Structure formats: C-alpha cells, structure tokens
C-alpha cells in the first residue's frame, strides 16, 4: 500500500508539472542577435537578425518561415517592424540600414552609414526611422525622402557605440550601448533630455507599453524604468541578462543570458519559476509576442526557439492538455 500511494503521489506531481517545450525555428547559420514581433493584418510576425547577413520573417505563432530579406553583405545587428507590420528595417555591419516590404521582401530603401549600423526603430506614425551607429551617433530619417537625402537629425551624446534605439512615442527616443548609459532624447529636435547611468554595457532595451515600463538589461541586471518618472528598479537575475522582456498582462518576466537558458520568473522579484532548456549557446535576443502567448529567444547556436507562455493552452502548434482544461 505504501508503494502504491508513493507512486500515486509521483504521478500527480508529474501531471501538474507541465513543462514548456520550445519549438525550434531553423534557417540561420550563425548566431541570432535581435528579434522583433508585430501584429500584422495577416497575424503575428517575427523578424530575426543574425550574423549570417540574412534577416528572416516567420509566422509569429508557429515559427514557420515566410521569407528571407536578401541584400545585406554583413551581420544584421538590429531589426524592427513598423506598427502595422507592412515594413521591416534592418541595421547591418555592411554600413547600411535597409527598409523592406514585409509582404513581398522587396528592398524599399537603403541608407548608407559611415560605420557599422547597430540598431533601428520606426516612429509610431511610421514617417521617420531612427538608427544607432558605431560612430557613436543616432540618426533620424524622413522616410518620404530619397535614400541620398541627409538625415533630419544627428544625435550626439554617446561616448561609445550605441547598440539599441527605440521610440517610446512620437516625441521621445531612448538609446543605450557600450558606454553604460541610457540616454533619453526629444525625437522632434534631437536634444538630449536625460541620461541614466547603469553598471555595465546595455545589452537590450524593450518597451512594455501596457505596464508603462522600459526594460533594460546590463550585465546580470534587469532594470525597469517607470516611463512616468524615469525611476529605476533593478534586479539581479540568475544566469545573467543579455535580453529580457515583461509580459503585458501576467506578472511574468522572461530573460536569457550566457548559460543558454531562458528563464520565466515572477514579478517584481524575478524569482525563477521555470528554466527552459534547449539552446546550446548564450541567449542574445528575447521578445514576448504582442498577444502574450509566446516567448521567442535567439541564441549563439543559430536557432530561434518559441516557448509557450500559458502551458497547456491550445495555441499555434501546441495542443491543449487535460490539466489546462481543468
């Protein structure tokens, strides 16, 4: 009888401990360094940038390959969609930023830069594009102008290469990189509004508009900046933090670091609830889908993996489990 009850208890634990299984998205041949999600008219899309010079667009629900944007001759360090998912932008080591049709894959615009381009961001109204370059400058372009036109603005303030740039809204830009500083800019004039020092080089910047929070990773720390006050709350996380994102609705965060694990944790303490295993190298990029159902991670191993947020729920290629129904 004792053995029976022990076996029954074990089976009950196994039934409730439903683990996340990552869907593998092959295709790239070198490390993944940036990812971007968007809700398009055709459903969620996922854009990836990698050191193999070939950004790819995938179905954001299933990870199925849709197309490859061909034209860069160097590593693609930064990627972004416009707000509708109609256009994609890519920043490359070939000293260019390119704008593409996300529907056809056609190159629409190529903007020459004097050094390696690292980051890119569409303005919310989609009329402007901000870029981050290894020459320490940010640039803002009017997308209605030809590729040969000078940028509308050149923003100087970083003392080392900025890696990421992101529009908070139509009036505010944020950038961060190797100089251990998060800089805030007036997107209309190019004036620097504020500077926030952090303890290490900035690896990623992610905007969670539902929580009015900017998520910034540096070293083994995830910092959350309140966009109303710019007050920062920092948390040291297990495994390091190359990239992180917050779930818009649930009190959850996801992050990835040098040990190759994707960790799902609770807020506000970032206590680890699950370690998702599958990557065979450091995690460099991580995003949560707009509908909050998928965590996408990109790794040194050249693969993208999709992890279901609500385990046991029917979504995409995942099927519902009896435990979730109950």
């Amino acid at each position: 009888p004792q053995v029976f009850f022990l076996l029954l208890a074990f089976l009950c634990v196994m039934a409730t401990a439903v683990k996340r299984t990552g869907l593998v998205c092959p295709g790239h041949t070198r490390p993944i360094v940036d990812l971007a999600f968007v809700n398009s008219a055709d459903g969620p899309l996922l854009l990836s940038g990698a050191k193999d010079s070939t950004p790819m667009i995938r179905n954001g629900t299933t990870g199925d390959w849709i197309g490859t944007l061909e034209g860069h001759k160097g590593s693609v360090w930064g990627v972004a969609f416009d707000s509708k998912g109609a256009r994609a932008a890519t920043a490359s080591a070939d000293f260019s930023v390119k704008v593409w049709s996300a529907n056809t894959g056609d190159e629409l615009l190529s903007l020459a830069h004097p050094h390696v381009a690292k980051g890119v961001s569409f303005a919310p109204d989609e009329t402007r594009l901000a870029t981050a370059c290894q020459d320490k400058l940010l640039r803002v372009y009017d997308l209605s102008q030809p590729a040969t036109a000078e940028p509308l603005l050149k923003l100087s303030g970083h003392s080392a290469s900025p890696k990421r740039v992101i529009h908070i809204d139509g009036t505010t830009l944020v950038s961060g990189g190797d100089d251990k500083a998060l800089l805030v800019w007036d997107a209309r004039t190019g004036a620097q509004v504020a500077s926030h020092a952090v303890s290490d080089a900035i690896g990623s910047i992610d905007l969670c508009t539902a929580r009015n929070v900017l998520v910034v990773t540096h070293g083994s720390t995830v910092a959350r900046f309140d966009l109303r006050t710019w007050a920062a709350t920092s948390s040291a996380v297990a495994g390091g933090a190359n990239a992180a994102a917050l779930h818009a609705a649930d009190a959850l965060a996801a992050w990835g670091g040098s040990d190759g694990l994707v960790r799902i944790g609770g807020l506000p303490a970032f206590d680890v609830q699950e370690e998702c295993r599958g990557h065979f190298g450091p995690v460099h990029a991580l995003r949560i889908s707009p509908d909050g159902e998928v965590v996408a991670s990109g790794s040194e191993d050249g693969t993208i993996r999709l992890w279901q947020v609500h385990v046991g729920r029917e979504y995409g290629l995942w099927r519902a489990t009896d435990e979730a129904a109950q």
Side-chain angles (χ1 to χ4, degrees):
Q2 185 177 7
V3 174
F4 171 78
F5 285 116
L6 287 174
L7 179 60
L8 182 62
F10 173 77
L11 292 175
C12 288
V13 170
M14 292 302 292
T16 56
V18 182
K19 295 292 185 180
R20 289 177 174 87
T21 302
L23 300 177
V24 182
C25 306
H28 286 290
T29 59
R30 297 200 63 203
I32 314 297
V33 291
D34 199 19
L35 297 168
F37 269 114
V38 72
N39 265 334
S40 75
D42 298 319
L45 297 176
L46 176 65
L47 175 62
S48 54
K51 292 184 180 181
D52 60 8
S53 78
T54 55
M56 296 182 182
I57 298 177
R58 300 175 183 274
N59 182 305
T61 301
T62 65
D64 291 339
W65 176 86
I66 294 175
T68 300
L69 306 176
E70 298 181 350
H72 280 301
K73 301 184 185 305
S75 299
V76 175
W77 290 105
V79 297
F81 280 115
D82 68 16
S83 62
K84 297 183 180 66
R87 291 176 296 177
T90 52
S92 173
D94 64 8
F95 292 24
S96 77
V97 169
K98 294 182 184 292
V99 180
W100 315 78
S101 166
N103 298 315
T104 66
D106 293 335
E107 181 181 312
L108 304 177
L109 197 65
S110 185
L111 302 168
H113 283 61
H115 212 307
V116 174
K118 286 295 190 74
V120 64
S121 174
F122 284 96
D125 66 3
E126 304 173 4
T127 62
R128 296 185 178 192
L129 187 75
T131 68
C133 184
Q134 202 161 314
D135 66 355
K136 306 177 188 177
L137 297 182
L138 306 179
R139 292 170 172 82
V140 177
Y141 292 88
D142 182 345
L143 292 177
S144 68
Q145 297 300 309
T148 54
E150 285 294 307
L152 286 174
L153 301 170
K154 291 184 179 181
L155 287 60
S156 175
H158 281 288
S159 60
S161 173
K163 292 179 180 177
R164 294 286 178 255
V165 59
I166 187 169
H167 281 89
I168 302 301
D169 50 34
T171 63
T172 306
L173 272 173
V174 173
S175 59
D178 292 336
D179 57 2
K180 305 178 184 179
L182 184 74
L183 302 187
V184 185
W185 311 84
D186 187 319
R188 300 160 297 185
T189 66
Q192 184 178 318
V193 176
S195 176
H196 303 278
V198 295
S199 61
D200 211 328
I202 290 174
S204 71
I205 302 175
D206 190 65
L207 177 63
C208 184
T209 52
R211 292 180 175 274
N212 214 26
V213 167
L214 193 70
V215 185
V216 179
T217 62
H218 54 97
S220 295
T221 301
V222 179
R224 290 162 289 158
F225 287 85
D226 186 322
L227 294 177
R228 294 161 297 191
T229 64
W230 288 100
T233 303
S234 297
S235 302
V237 296
N242 293 335
L246 301 188
H247 194 280
D250 298 342
L252 290 175
W255 66 94
S258 58
D259 62 3
L261 300 182
V262 173
R263 290 176 169 85
I264 309 294
L267 296 174
F270 285 81
D271 52 305
V272 177
Q273 297 179 359
E274 186 172 343
E275 294 179 338
C276 304
R277 301 175 183 273
H279 284 302
F280 295 97
V283 174
H284 297 307
L286 185 145
R287 303 288 181 188
I288 295 178
S289 61
D291 62 7
E293 295 293 341
V294 174
V295 175
S297 57
S299 168
E300 182 75 18
D301 64 13
T303 67
I304 300 164
R305 290 179 184 263
L306 304 184
W307 311 90
Q308 189 176 21
V309 173
H310 302 107
V311 181
R313 180 182 297 179
E314 184 162 346
Y315 182 85
L317 299 179
W318 290 285
R319 291 293 164 258
T321 64
D322 292 338
E323 290 80 9
Q326 293 171 1

